Structures are given as structure tokens and as C-alpha cells.
């Protein structure tokens, strides 16, 4: 029997753009469109904005 894996999914829309987010239990690895987090978002200030909700809830290293 396969083990069920919990996933949290969300969709955000604005005009013609669509953003899909999938959170799974893991080690904190962030992948965006097949690229590493640092490669996709090169500016440290913007990376802080993205990571802030995970840091505030102390779940940075609990989700991929």
C-alpha cells in the first residue's frame, strides 16, 4: 500500500497571470520553475520577502 503524502496547494491569480504553490513535507528546498531559489530570485531583499512567512511560523526547514 502506498504511503499518503500530505500536500498543501494554493493558486493565486492576477490579470492573466497564475501562480501555483505546492508545499510538501521536506527539508526546506525551494524550486521555482525547475530552478533553484537563489537562481530564480537573485536579489537577497526579494528572497527575504518570500521566506518571511515561513520564518515567522518557524517552518522554513519543514516544507519543500
Amino acid at each position: 500500500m502506498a504511503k499518503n503524502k500530505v500536500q498543501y496547494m494554493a493558486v493565486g491569480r492576477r490579470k492573466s497571470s497564475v501562480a501555483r504553490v505546492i508545499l510538501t513535507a521536506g527539508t526546506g528546498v525551494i524550486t521555482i520553475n525547475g530552478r533553484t531559489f537563489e537562481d530564480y530570485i537573485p536579489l537577497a531583499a526579494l528572497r527575504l520577502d518570500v521566506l518571511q512567512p515561513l520564518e515567522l511560523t518557524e517552518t522554513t526547514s519543514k516544507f519543500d
Side-chain angles (χ1 to χ4, degrees), residues 26-57:
T27 59
V29 177
I30 298 175
T31 305
I32 304 169
N33 294 337
R35 296 164 56 185
T36 64
F37 181 56
E38 291 78 14
D39 183 40
Y40 196 85
I41 303 175
L43 299 176
L46 294 178
R47 287 196 304 261
L48 288 174
D49 288 342
V50 173
L51 292 175
Q52 187 176 21
L54 293 172
E55 290 174 355
L56 288 174
T57 57

Side-chain angles (χ1 to χ4, degrees), residues 1-35:
M1 180 178 269
K3 183 179 177 183
N4 292 337
K5 193 172 188 181
V6 176
Q7 289 185 337
Y8 300 98
M9 302 171 102
V11 177
R13 292 185 175 92
R14 185 171 190 277
K15 296 185 181 181
S16 62
S17 299
V18 178
R20 291 179 185 86
V21 176
I22 301 170
L23 289 176
T24 58
T27 59
V29 177
I30 298 175
T31 305
I32 304 169
N33 294 337
R35 296 164 56 185

